[in-house]
Amino acid sequence: MVGLKMPNNTGSAYPPSVDALLPRVREWVADLGSIPSRNRIMSEFRVGAPKARVILAALRDESETAPVRPRQAVAETDRDSEAEPGSGTPVEQERTGTDVEVTAVANSDTDLTRTRPVKVWPLLLLALPAFVAIWGGWVGLGRLTGFGPIDLFPGIFDGVSINSAITLPIGVETYAAFALRVWLSGTTRSGRAREFAKWSAFGSLGLGMAGQVAYHLMSAAGVTRAPWSITTLVSCLPVVVLGCGAALAHLLRNTIDNGQEVND
């Protein structure tokens, strides 16, 4: 049995002792039908953590010898035992068996609804070859349409250059993945944002496929310079991606959808 003498640190002039609180706590626990947590004892009886810890330990020691049951169930069991002598134990066993049966059904339902997290490594395995092919196709198409090394900070840091062809795969494909995430995620609040994300994702993926087809056709034909129509379209892609990304970001921040506030 845990000792019940505790220091007086509740902040009251005459705080109740643990011995004085235990009968009230026992009645409260009998109404609950289960042993509460330490924080709930602190909140219900306005005691500090040390006293609540000692009370909880005392309740647990008592529950090992006499499990706590609701007062209503105890009263019903007593009435049944008085009406039918010697029938108290079977009635209690029947109730206990029913409780165990209900608990087992609840646990089985919980197990059925519990889902395992999806493994990430198959997605990475699928994405790696696609990334290599898409990157190579966009960079190759960029070279055929005039993209290439440029001075990044002319007049400031001379000699720092970058190949502007890498802006095509980064911009187009990254936006497509982001728009798919906004469209398919259940956390997107605005229906307008989901609708815009859906169609812009389809458009971005369609442009990506068209770019890959154009590059491989020209590469197989030995073309060293893309026609002006393809060059015009490819040159506009960074600006289109910027506009779509900015529009989608504004829609995501908007909490008003079709004149009504979007609820969580």
Side-chain angles (χ1 to χ4, degrees), residues 125-142 168-169 173 208-209 211-213 215-216:
L125 189 61
L126 289 171
L128 183 59
F131 170 79
V132 174
I134 292 172
W135 184 274
W138 273 120
V139 171
L141 182 61
L168 298 175
E173 305 303 333
M209 289 186 288
Q212 297 297 316
V213 170
Y215 167 70
H216 286 289

Side-chain angles (χ1 to χ4, degrees), residues 50-220:
K51 280 190 177 181
R53 193 178 298 113
V54 173
I55 293 173
L56 184 59
L59 293 175
R60 287 174 177 171
D61 289 342
E62 295 173 359
S63 66
E64 292 178 358
T65 57
V68 177
R69 288 185 298 157
R71 298 173 66 181
Q72 182 180 0
V74 173
E76 291 176 357
T77 304
D78 293 339
R79 287 196 299 269
D80 293 338
S81 61
E82 291 176 1
E84 300 178 8
S87 62
T89 301
V91 171
E92 183 178 349
Q93 289 177 353
E94 184 179 352
R95 288 175 183 163
T96 304
T98 304
D99 293 341
V100 172
E101 203 173 301
V102 173
T103 303
V105 173
N107 290 337
S108 63
D109 293 341
T110 303
D111 293 337
L112 290 175
T113 56
R114 186 178 301 156
T115 57
R116 296 182 178 179
V118 179
K119 301 294 183 182
V120 179
W121 65 264
L123 180 60
L124 296 177
L125 189 61
L126 289 171
L128 183 59
F131 170 79
V132 174
I134 292 172
W135 184 274
W138 273 120
V139 171
L141 182 61
R143 289 172 179 170
L144 293 178
T145 54
F147 288 81
I150 60 171
D151 291 332
L152 193 59
F153 302 106
I156 302 176
F157 298 105
D158 293 332
V160 178
S161 63
I162 189 173
N163 193 333
S164 60
I166 66 173
T167 60
L168 298 175
I170 293 176
V172 176
E173 305 303 333
T174 301
Y175 177 78
F178 175 63
L180 284 174
R181 173 69 173 82
V182 173
W183 171 36
L184 299 176
S185 174
T187 59
T188 303
R189 304 178 62 187
S190 172
R192 294 175 59 195
R194 284 194 299 269
E195 191 73 11
F196 181 83
K198 178 178 71 173
W199 292 113
S200 61
F202 287 153
S204 182
L205 292 173
L207 287 174
M209 289 186 288
Q212 297 297 316
V213 170
Y215 167 70
H216 286 289
L217 287 177
M218 289 187 293
S219 178

Side-chain angles (χ1 to χ4, degrees), residues 6-18 21 41-42 45-53 55:
M6 292 299 301
N8 190 0
N9 59 353
T10 60
S12 174
Y14 298 97
S17 64
V18 175
L21 283 174
I41 294 175
M42 294 169 58
F45 295 94
R46 299 187 181 278
V47 296
K51 280 190 177 181
R53 193 178 298 113
I55 293 173

